[in-house]
C-alpha cells in the first residue's frame, strides 16, 4: 500500500458508491448460492454428494462475479486518464512505465481480492458440510479464480491502452472475454472424440477458458455428448496459459506507455467527391458504403437526432455495419454449406444452435455499448444541454436515438438469415420451428435495446452506464445458464425451467431443439417476460427523458 498509484486507485475506488454496491451485492450472491442448496433436515450425507453440489454452485458464482465485474474497472482506467489528460502527467513523472502499470494493476487486483475475500465465509460453510477437501477443491478453485482475475484485468488494461473511448474499451474487452471464456470451448464441443490435428487443436484451445478450468475443478463434465471436460488436465493447462496470456497482455500495454500514445497521426485523405469521375465510379463499385464520400443534407422526413447519431458515432457507422453484416452472412452460409456437404457430421439442430449463439453474442456485445450511451454520453459531454435548446420534442429525441440502435441490430440479425433460408430450402418442415426462433431473437433484440437504454439513462457516467448494462444482459443470458449446468444435481427440472424462462438464449435453443434444452418448455412464457420487461424499460426511459428535458 506504499505505492502511490495503488493508494490512489484502490482507495479512490473503495470510496465510490458503486464499489460499495458491488461488495454488498457480491456478498449477498455468495450467501444465497449456499443457502439455496443448504440441507433443511438434520441428516448428513456420508457420500458428500450434497456438499459437492453446494460447492459447485458456489464456485460458478465466484467465477461469474469476477469475470463480469473486474474487467470493467481495468478497461476504463487508462483510456479515462488519457482523455482527461492525467495520464500524460504520470508518464512525465519520475516513475517508470512498469511501475505505473503495476500500480494500476495492483489497484484493480486489490479490489478483486476484496470480492474474493467476501466469498470466504460461504466457502467455509461448504467445507464444513464435509465431502470436499481443502487442497483438492477449495484451493484449486481459488487458484483458478486468481488467474482468471489476473487474466481479465490485464486484458482490460491492454484494450484500454489502445481504445479511444470508455464505451469502445468496454465493448472490445467484454467481446474478447466472451471469445476467450465461451467461444474457445465451442470447437472441442463439436470435435470431441475425434482424432486429427483439428481435434487436438480444439483440445488445447479450450484450455485458455476460465470456465472450462472451473468446470473441471468443480467436477462438472456432463456438457455435450462426451462432456466438454472428457479428459483431465484442463485446469493445470489453464493456469499456465492464463499466466502466459497475462504476461503478454501486460507487455502489450506497457509498450504503449510513451508519448506516442497520445499521437494519432492520420493521412489527410481525399474526399471522394473531389476525385475524377472514373475514380468515383470505381469506389462506388468497390465499396457499398464509401466513408470518404461527402454526406448529403438531412432529408425533410428524416429524424435529425437519428442522423446525428449515425454520423457522429465512430462505431455503428454504415461502412462498419456493412462489413460486420457481410461477415455474419458469410459465417452463417459457410456453416450451412459445410453441413450440407457432409464436412461435419452436424444436424440442422446443431447448425441452428451455432447461429443462435452467434446472433445472441452479437446482440449482447453490441447493444449495451450502443444503447446505454444514448443519454449518459450526452449528459457527460454536455451535449444534452444543446439538445434541450433545440425545438425538438422529447419524444422525437428519444425516438431518433432508439432508431439509431434499432437499425444496426436489425441489419446484424438479418445478415444471418441466408443460413436459415438454406436450412428451410433443404428441409421445408423446419419453417415453423425457425420462424419461432427468429421471433424469439427479434424479441430479445428489442428487449436488449430497451433494457440497455433504460439502465444507461439512470447514470451520468458513460463507463458506469455501459458496465451496468453489460452486467444485466450477460447476467441474464449467461448467469442463468449456471442453473442449467446444475440440472439434475443440485437443481431439479422445475427449478431449471423456471429460471430459464427469463433467458431468451435458452428459449431460442429450446425451439431449435438443441441437445440439453429439449425437455424444457420455455415459450410462450419467455415471450411474456420479454414483453413486460421491455414495456417497463420503455416506461423508465420515457420518464427519464422527460425529467431530463424539463427546464432547470
Amino acid at each position: 500500500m506504499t505505492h502511490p498509484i495503488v493508494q490512489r486507485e484502490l482507495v479512490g475506488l473503495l470510496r465510490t458508491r458503486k464499489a460499495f454496491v458491488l461488495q454488498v451485492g457480491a456478498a449477498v450472491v455468495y450467501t444465497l448460492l449456499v443457502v439455496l442448496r443448504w440441507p433443511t433436515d438434520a441428516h448428513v450425507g456420508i457420500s458428500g454428494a450434497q456438499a459437492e453440489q453446494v460447492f459447485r454452485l458456489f464456485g460458478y458464482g465466484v467465477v461469474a462475479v469476477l469475470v463480469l465485474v473486474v474487467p470493467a474497472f481495468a478497461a476504463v482506467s487508462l483510456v479515462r486518464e488519457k482523455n482527461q489528460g492525467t495520464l500524460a502527467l504520470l508518464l512525465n513523472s519520475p516513475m517508470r512505465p512498469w511501475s505505473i502499470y503495476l500500480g494500476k494493476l495492483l489497484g484493480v487486483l486489490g479490489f478483486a481480492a476484496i470480492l474474493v475475500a467476501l466469498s470466504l465465509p460461504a466457502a467455509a460453510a461448504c467445507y464444513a458440510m464435509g465431502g470436499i477437501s481443502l487442497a483438492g477443491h477449495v484451493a484449486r478453485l481459488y487458484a483458478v479464480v486468481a488467474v482468471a482475475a489476473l487474466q481479465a484485468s490485464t486484458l482490460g488494461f491492454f484494450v484500454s491502452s489502445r481504445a479511444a473511448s470508455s464505451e469502445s474499451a468496454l465493448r472490445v474487452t467484454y467481446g474478447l472475454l466472451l471469445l476467450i471464456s465461451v467461444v474457445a470451448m465451442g470447437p472441442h464441443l463439436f470435435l470431441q472424440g475425434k482424432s486429427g490435428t483439428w481435434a487436438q487443436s480444439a483440445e488445447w484451445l479450450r484450455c485458455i477458458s476460465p470456465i472450462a478450468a472451473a468446470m473441471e475443478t468443480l467436477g462438472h463434465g456432463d456438457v455435450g455428448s462426451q462432456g466438454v471436460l472428457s479428459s483431465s488436465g484442463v485446469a493445470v493447462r489453464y493456469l499456465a496459459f492464463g499466466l502466459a496470456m497475462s504476461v503478454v497482455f501486460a507487455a502489450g500495454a506497457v509498450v504503449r506507455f510513451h508519448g506516442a500514445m497520445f499521437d494519432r497521426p492520420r493521412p489527410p485523405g481525399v474526399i471522394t467527391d473531389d476525385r475524377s469521375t472514373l475514380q468515383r465510379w470505381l469506389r462506388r463499385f468497390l465499396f457499398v458504403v464509401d466513408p470518404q464520400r461527402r454526406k448529403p443534407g438531412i432529408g425533410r422526413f428524416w429524424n435529425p437526432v437519428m442522423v446525428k447519431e449515425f454520423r457522429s458515432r465512430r462505431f455503428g457507422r454504415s461502412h462498419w455495419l456493412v462489413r460486420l453484416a457481410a461477415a455474419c452472412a458469410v459465417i452463417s452460409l459457410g456453416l450451412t454449406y459445410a453441413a450440407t456437404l457432409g464436412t461435419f457430421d452436424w444436424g440442422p439442430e446443431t447448425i441452428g444452435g451455432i447461429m443462435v449463439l452467434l446472433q445472441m453474442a452479437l446482440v449482447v456485445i453490441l447493444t449495451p455499448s450502443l444503447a446505454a450511451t444514448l443519454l449518459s454520453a450526452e449528459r457527460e459531454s454536455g451535449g444534452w444541454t444543446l439538445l434541450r435548446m433545440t425545438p425538438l420534442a422529447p419524444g422525437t429525441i428519444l425516438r431518433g436515438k432508439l432508431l439509431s440502435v434499432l437499425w444496426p441490430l436489425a441489419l446484424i440479425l438479418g445478415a444471418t438469415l441466408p443460413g436459415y433460408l438454406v436450412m428451410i430450402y433443404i428441409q421445408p418442415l423446419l419453417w415453423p420451428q425457425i420462424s419461432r426462433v427468429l421471433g424469439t431473437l427479434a424479441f430479445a433484440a428489442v428487449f436488449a435495446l430497451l433494457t440497455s437504454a433504460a439502465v444507461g439513462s439512470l447514470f451520468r457516467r458513460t463507463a458506469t452506464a455501459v458496465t451496468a448494462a453489460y452486467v444485466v444482459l450477460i447476467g441474464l443470458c449467461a448467469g442463468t445458464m449456471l442453473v442449467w449446468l446444475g440440472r439434475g444435481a443440485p437443481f431439479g427440472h422445475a427449478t431449471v425451467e423456471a429460471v430459464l424462462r427469463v433467458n431468451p438464449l435458452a428459449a431460442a435453443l429450446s425451439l431449435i431443439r438443441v441437445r440439453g434444452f429439449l425437455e424444457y418448455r420455455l415459450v410462450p412464457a419467455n415471450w411474456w417476460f420479454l414483453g413486460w420487461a421491455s414495456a417497463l424499460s420503455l416506461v423508465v426511459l420515457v420518464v427519464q427523458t422527460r425529467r431530463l428535458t424539463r427546464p432547470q
Side-chain angles (χ1 to χ4, degrees):
M1 290 295 293
T2 59
H3 197 287
I5 297 184
V6 175
Q7 293 182 356
R8 173 176 174 266
E9 294 290 325
L10 183 56
V11 176
L13 177 60
L14 293 177
R15 288 175 176 174
T16 60
R17 184 182 302 175
K18 60 183 177 182
F20 174 76
V21 173
L22 287 174
Q23 293 177 69
V24 174
V28 172
V29 169
Y30 298 148
T31 304
L32 289 178
L33 290 175
V34 176
V35 171
L36 285 175
R37 292 304 302 171
W38 194 261
T40 56
D41 51 15
H43 300 283
V44 178
I46 300 178
S47 63
Q50 191 171 16
E52 290 184 357
Q53 295 173 5
V54 176
F55 182 70
R56 180 181 299 170
L57 181 61
F58 162 75
Y60 284 133
V62 175
V63 174
V65 169
L66 265 295
V67 172
L68 286 178
V69 173
V70 172
F73 296 98
V76 301
S77 178
L78 295 177
V79 66
R80 182 176 56 197
E81 292 219 34
K82 181 171 62 175
N83 293 335
Q84 293 176 350
T86 55
L87 185 58
L89 300 178
L90 282 176
L91 295 180
N92 290 320
S93 66
M95 300 182 66
R96 295 183 178 274
W98 272 108
S99 180
I100 298 174
Y101 179 83
L102 288 177
K104 286 186 166 293
L105 178 62
L106 291 176
V108 175
L109 292 179
F111 183 71
I114 294 176
L115 295 180
V116 173
L118 292 173
S119 68
L120 293 178
C126 296
Y127 178 72
M129 291 182 64
I132 61 174
S133 62
L134 189 61
H137 293 84
V138 180
R140 290 185 63 186
L141 173 64
Y142 278 101
V144 172
V145 168
V147 175
L150 179 62
Q151 182 186 30
S153 301
T154 53
L155 174 62
F157 281 116
F158 175 78
V159 175
S160 185
S161 65
R162 285 161 170 78
S165 61
S166 299
E167 55 269 22
S168 63
L170 289 168
R171 178 176 59 247
V172 175
T173 300
Y174 279 108
L176 292 177
L177 275 177
L178 181 65
L179 291 176
I180 294 174
S181 302
V182 179
V183 178
M185 298 190 300
H188 176 72
L189 179 63
F190 300 107
L191 297 176
Q192 57 184 334
K194 299 181 180 181
S195 59
T197 305
W198 290 106
Q200 291 295 327
S201 301
E203 170 72 21
W204 283 91
L205 179 63
R206 64 172 178 152
C207 296
I208 68 174
S209 171
I211 297 179
M215 291 178 68
E216 186 191 59
T217 303
L218 298 172
H220 204 167
D222 57 347
V223 180
S225 59
Q226 298 181 14
V228 173
L229 304 174
S230 55
S231 59
S232 60
V234 177
V236 177
R237 296 176 189 174
Y238 169 73
L239 295 179
F241 285 153
L243 292 175
M245 293 175 66
S246 300
V247 172
V248 173
F249 291 146
V254 174
V255 168
R256 297 278 298 171
F257 276 41
H258 50 77
M261 178 188 292
F262 308 98
D263 300 331
R264 299 179 61 87
R266 294 180 179 178
V270 180
I271 299 297
T272 303
D273 303 75
D274 298 336
R275 298 177 182 269
S276 63
T277 304
L278 179 60
Q279 290 177 335
R280 290 200 301 268
W281 279 103
L282 287 176
R283 291 183 65 86
R284 181 170 296 183
F285 177 76
L286 294 175
F287 304 103
V288 178
V289 178
D290 188 0
Q292 296 184 5
R293 184 171 61 88
R294 186 173 288 113
K295 300 297 186 294
I298 300 176
R300 181 177 181 181
F301 299 102
W302 287 96
N303 189 305
V305 179
M306 182 186 69
V307 178
K308 171 253 181 187
E309 290 291 326
F310 275 126
R311 295 184 178 180
S312 61
R313 190 168 54 203
R314 291 193 60 185
F315 184 82
R317 298 182 65 183
S318 300
H319 58 287
W320 283 110
L321 292 176
V322 170
R323 295 170 186 174
L324 184 59
C328 295
V330 170
I331 292 174
S332 64
L333 286 175
L335 290 172
T336 309
Y337 182 73
T340 304
L341 293 181
T343 304
F344 301 111
D345 188 16
W346 297 346
E349 295 82 8
T350 303
I351 299 297
I354 294 176
M355 288 194 289
V356 166
L357 289 174
L358 172 65
Q359 290 176 308
M360 285 301 301
L362 291 173
V363 169
V364 171
I365 292 174
L366 298 180
T367 305
S369 63
L370 296 176
T373 60
L374 293 179
L375 298 184
S376 60
E378 299 282 3
R379 296 173 64 187
E380 186 177 12
S381 64
W384 188 255
T385 304
L386 300 178
L387 284 177
R388 290 173 55 196
M389 297 173 62
T390 63
L392 298 175
T396 304
I397 297 175
L398 181 59
R399 186 166 55 252
K401 285 187 169 293
L402 291 178
L403 287 175
S404 69
V405 183
L406 183 61
W407 283 114
L409 289 180
L411 180 62
I412 292 172
L413 292 178
T416 55
L417 290 181
Y420 289 112
L421 294 177
V422 174
M423 293 173 59
I424 294 174
Y425 179 78
I426 297 174
Q427 296 187 16
L429 296 179
L430 292 177
W431 163 244
Q433 181 179 344
I434 292 179
S435 62
R436 299 180 74 189
V437 172
L438 295 178
T440 303
L441 293 174
F443 271 121
V446 175
F447 165 77
L449 167 60
L450 295 177
T451 302
S452 300
V455 171
S457 67
L458 303 177
F459 301 94
R460 187 179 184 87
R461 295 277 186 178
T462 303
T464 307
V466 175
T467 303
Y470 269 119
V471 170
V472 171
L473 284 186
I474 296 178
L476 185 67
C477 295
T480 53
M481 286 296 185
L482 298 178
V483 179
W484 174 77
L485 289 174
R487 63 192 186 280
F491 298 111
H493 181 274
T495 303
V496 176
E497 187 174 78
V499 173
L500 292 183
R501 283 174 182 170
V502 302
N503 189 337
L505 174 60
L509 292 176
S510 66
L511 289 174
I512 206 68
R513 303 185 64 81
V514 174
R515 184 173 58 250
F517 296 89
L518 292 175
E519 60 271 20
Y520 301 109
R521 299 294 178 264
L522 308 180
V523 173
N526 181 257
W527 292 352
W528 282 106
F529 168 77
L530 295 178
W532 283 108
S534 300
L536 179 61
S537 300
L538 183 60
V539 171
V540 173
L541 191 58
V542 171
V543 171
Q544 280 292 99
T545 304
R546 291 188 176 275
R547 184 183 68 84
L548 294 174
T549 51
R550 292 175 183 173
Q552 296 180 357

